[in-house]
Amino acid sequence: MFGKSKVNEKELLSSVIDLTGFRSILAHLDETSDWLSDTRQSLNIFNDMLNDARVGSLVENRQDKVLRLDMGQVDGKNETLNEAARHYITFNKLQELGLQLLNALPYGIAVSEIVWKKENGLFVPEKFIPVPRSLIGFKKGFDQGDRYTPYLLPDYIPLSDPYKFIVHRNDRGTGSVSGVSILRRVYWPWQFKKLGFKFWTMAAERIGVPSILAIFETKTDAEAVKRANILADILHKIRSGSSLALGNVKDVKYLNAEGAIKDFDVLIAVCNTEISYGLTGQSLTTNEAQYGTRANAVLHDDTFAAVISKDAQNLQSSIQNLYNRFCELNWPGEEPIGFEIDAGEYASWEMVTKAIELGVPVSKKALYDRHKLPEPENEEDSFVSDRLIRSDDEASLDFSDNVKKKELIFF
């Protein structure tokens, strides 16, 4: 039998870690500024990296996948509040706000200003204005409670009013003030790729077109220079398909781009693969799918889905602030409406169609809501293929022993 442990209640209820002391070491530098200082770059480096075809497309793909998830409000007990929120906070407004806040993925932090208007006696969000990342900064000597407050540069206007600003950080539990840009982990692969393109361009300009070299012997330097000029003029006039005879020439060689340049595509492929790992957690992209197995494709899809799910959860908590402010302004004291992004895993379309063929009951609502099938307006508008209609006496499921493989499908 275990006895009751003695604890120091004062220590238990107090904070041991004081971030103020640690932050004073870095003075006014936040994490992003510190990293930029180490790499001797500015905030423009994020824009330069996004201009890379591979980096930009993967970041946009990651953002788009989050916004394509089912999202919407979770109704509370007040039906009037539910209807008002559904009417004024539309799907398009949620998409607009979500797209602005997801800029925290490449930039670490994103701030959107809520512009309210008065309509039918209610404060309703009219539009959202994104704050450029270059205008977001942090004050020197901030204290424990103020260290997370972003400021609008150059006048250091605090962006802390919860009714006016929504601050979204890409922070996976690190406690970062400025958030963590997903581009930081792919900086060096991108830099090597950039330098590789620069080297290839320079090499192609110099030796991309094969050059002809004539080797000869002379007794004096003056004679060598004279003979070299004559041969250079003759070789320069060579055209495709022409014939030429050279006297007193030991050998004719040509210089081409074989060597380091032929490995250029290997360098670019390695850099692109590392960029894919850094931004999506997987490397099997459309131009590489022919070399992967179906199992690899499924595994990579699951890995990317897990990354998207975390992004969605983070975004969900930030957009929830919009619903909280809407409820507080218009229904003070009322329990706020919830907001949810559905990032759960569901049966694939292949599994759904297989279940339908086997006669397993499937929810029509789920087909229309989750799989986005066009829902018929009425019975006359619906279409069902005749070859899929089974007779009443035909078995819907076959669980006999002659079935080679049984599949259990859950919905």
Side-chain angles (χ1 to χ4, degrees), residues 97-207:
L97 178 60
L99 184 59
Q100 293 181 14
L101 296 182
L102 283 175
N103 281 322
L105 290 178
Y107 295 108
I109 186 174
V111 180
S112 291
E113 180 186 4
I114 310 173
V115 178
W116 299 90
K117 68 177 181 178
K118 201 72 177 292
E119 186 172 328
N120 297 326
L122 299 176
F123 292 97
V124 299
E126 180 182 15
K127 61 181 179 180
F128 307 100
I129 301 177
V131 179
R133 178 61 184 91
S134 58
L135 297 181
I136 300 175
F138 299 89
K139 268 192 172 182
K140 299 180 181 180
F142 42 76
D143 57 25
Q144 180 81 3
D146 192 49
R147 72 187 194 91
Y148 279 105
T149 300
Y151 289 83
L152 181 64
L153 304 177
D155 299 327
Y156 282 94
I157 301 174
L159 306 176
S160 57
D161 186 349
Y163 295 95
K164 286 294 295 177
F165 302 101
I166 296 180
V167 181
H168 182 64
R169 292 177 173 86
N170 184 50
D171 178 12
R172 300 298 175 89
T174 61
S176 173
V177 170
S178 58
V180 180
S181 168
I182 62 175
L183 299 182
R184 288 171 55 171
R185 66 182 62 177
V186 299
Y187 170 76
W188 288 113
W190 169 80
Q191 193 69 269
F192 276 110
K193 178 182 176 181
K194 180 182 177 182
L195 294 175
F197 271 114
K198 184 178 180 180
F199 167 77
W200 181 84
T201 302
M202 181 177 60
E205 289 177 351
R206 294 185 177 181
I207 56 176

